Amino acid sequence: MVEHHELQLDPSKLDMLLALVQSNEDGQVCYQELIELMSSKRSSSFRRAIANGRRTLQREILLDETGLGLYKRFVRYVAYEILPCETDRRWYFHQNRLCPPPVFIAIVTIVQIIVFMCYGIMLNKWVLQTYQPDFMKSPLVYHPGHRAQVWRFFSYMFMHVGLEQLGFNALLQLMIGVPLEMVHGILRISLLYMAGVLAGSLTVSITDMRAPVVGGSGGVYALCSAHLANVVMNWAGMRCPYKLLRMILALVCMSSEVGRAVWLRFSPPLPSSGPQPSFMAHLSGAVVGISMGLLILRSYEESLQKQCSWWVIVFSFITFLLFAIFWNIFAYELLGVQIPPPP
């Protein structure tokens, strides 16, 4: 039937159909499994059946395919960079479409560059822009004196300390964020990125109450830490080249950026404009990536709503959000925190 059927099955679905047959002792495929296969929706039980059936199948791996165009070679590269399972890589390779394109990370990066260029020209300063008093007057910067302006808890991601921070964040966003968005989709990756951004500003408002925040490091560290944690958790299955060297290099770069942020926060002499931006957004973004992000990346083509661990993470994040809101409303006055006057 498989050899002479009239249905147009792509190679990945044909591969999985045979795997489903192999996973069943009777050599049968149930109706629900066939529906999930044809509609490209895969439940956890469906994935387990595929994994069991794959053990008995001897097929060529994706790397062995020849005669691919430039775009298809790039898609194959992304599959091996992001996904730890050969079955998932084949599924993604044959199911990949350009619609919707991975535009979220690209748009965020372009806006960040445009905003930085505008302020660089206006301030005539390209490094350590926060030492310029007019920088803090921007309506995009999170400042504790303006915490009632809710948009600042998000908009600070478009402002950057200087060319060095912008370059680091933009490079990581494009190198890691775009492949992640291609595989996992715009909704999941934008949710992860914005959760890291929001967690960054809220954490600063709780732990470093006098400091402002600028830069997209919360979202960037959420993406990077989620990807690195996923690589470590699936070390044997990942087939990206030089993965140990690249892991060490990524950790060194991320640690160096945190060290630079710590130095900037406490380095004397402090400018007349007040405290320098906090580094806590980096750390909170990493926590979001290791918790929420790791679950998202490990749930390729699976429904998050059907997983208990997803709701535990969502409940924890909402609890933190509510606590941070009450903290910002009442704690500053109760603790008598002396915040610098808003510019």
Side-chain angles (χ1 to χ4, degrees):
M1 183 191 73
V2 171
E3 295 293 336
H4 301 91
H5 68 84
E6 297 180 357
L7 297 175
Q8 297 298 319
L9 288 178
D10 61 51
S12 66
K13 289 187 177 180
L14 182 58
D15 190 14
M16 291 185 181
L17 176 62
L18 296 176
L20 286 170
V21 173
Q22 293 288 339
S23 66
N24 193 312
E25 295 180 356
D26 300 329
Q28 297 177 346
V29 179
C30 72
Y31 179 73
Q32 184 60 37
E33 289 174 337
L34 181 62
I35 292 298
E36 290 184 0
L37 176 66
M38 298 304 297
S39 61
S40 301
K41 296 180 180 179
R42 303 188 294 172
S43 63
S44 298
S45 59
F46 180 80
R47 289 168 59 88
R48 285 194 295 270
I50 292 293
N52 292 333
R54 281 289 302 176
R55 296 193 186 101
T56 59
L57 292 177
Q58 300 296 328
R59 280 189 168 271
E60 294 182 352
I61 63 175
L62 196 56
L63 281 175
D64 294 334
E65 295 197 19
T66 58
L68 300 177
L70 180 61
Y71 175 71
K72 274 300 184 180
R73 288 201 299 270
F74 177 67
V75 171
R76 181 174 62 180
Y77 164 79
V78 169
Y80 276 91
E81 284 290 314
I82 304 300
L83 296 171
C85 175
E86 183 65 24
T87 303
D88 287 342
R89 289 191 284 260
R90 292 180 63 86
W91 177 277
Y92 168 73
F93 178 80
H94 292 291
Q95 295 284 57
N96 176 261
R97 300 291 185 270
L98 281 175
C99 185
V103 297
F104 174 76
I105 295 297
I107 291 176
V108 168
T109 304
I110 292 173
V111 174
Q112 289 173 341
I113 294 174
I114 292 175
V115 170
F116 176 78
M117 294 291 292
C118 291
Y119 276 91
I121 295 173
M122 183 175 63
L123 302 174
N124 195 25
K125 192 174 181 64
W126 304 95
V127 179
L128 295 179
Q129 290 184 349
T130 51
Y131 276 69
Q132 176 66 256
D134 291 337
F135 180 86
M136 289 299 173
K137 295 180 181 180
S138 169
L140 302 178
V141 174
Y142 168 80
H143 190 281
H146 290 308
R147 64 186 184 279
Q149 299 174 356
V150 180
W151 72 83
R152 291 177 180 260
F153 286 89
F154 296 94
S155 62
Y156 78 93
M157 71 179 188
F158 297 115
M159 303 290 291
H160 286 81
V161 171
L163 187 61
E164 69 286 354
Q165 186 189 26
L166 174 66
F168 178 83
N169 285 348
L171 183 64
L172 286 183
Q173 283 178 180
L174 296 176
M175 290 182 60
I176 296 179
V178 171
L180 287 177
E181 188 177 347
M182 289 179 62
V183 174
H184 296 282
I186 185 173
L187 291 179
R188 292 189 176 188
I189 298 305
S190 61
L191 172 64
L192 176 58
Y193 188 91
M194 297 307 297
V197 170
L198 180 59
S201 55
L202 291 178
T203 301
V204 171
S205 70
I206 296 173
T207 61
D208 198 359
M209 300 170 68
R210 300 183 68 251
V213 191
V214 296
S217 298
V220 171
Y221 274 64
L223 296 179
C224 293
S225 59
H227 178 58
L228 294 180
N230 189 46
V231 171
V232 172
M233 294 288 291
N234 300 279
W235 189 262
M238 298 300 293
R239 291 293 182 267
C240 48
Y242 309 108
K243 56 184 176 182
L244 179 59
L245 177 62
R246 293 164 63 181
M247 173 75 71
I248 295 174
L249 182 61
L251 291 176
V252 169
C253 292
M254 293 172 66
S255 302
S256 301
E257 170 60 17
V258 173
R260 184 203 62 82
V262 173
W263 171 83
L264 179 64
R265 174 66 179 88
F266 298 109
S267 62
L270 293 176
S272 59
S273 58
Q276 286 294 287
S278 176
F279 59 89
M280 291 302 298
H282 298 70
L283 305 182
S284 58
V287 172
V288 170
I290 294 174
S291 54
M292 179 187 294
L294 181 59
L295 179 60
I296 289 177
L297 299 195
R298 296 184 66 183
S299 302
Y300 171 65
E301 290 287 338
E302 289 188 45
S303 175
L304 292 172
Q305 291 83 352
K306 296 180 180 179
Q307 302 184 46
C308 179
S309 54
W310 169 251
W311 292 111
V312 171
I313 292 175
V314 171
F315 176 78
S316 301
F317 190 84
I318 293 176
T319 302
F320 166 73
L321 178 61
L322 294 176
F323 172 78
I325 292 175
F326 279 99
W327 182 276
N328 278 272
I329 295 175
F330 301 109
Y332 281 78
E333 294 183 3
L334 293 176
L335 298 177
V337 178
Q338 298 295 323
I339 60 176

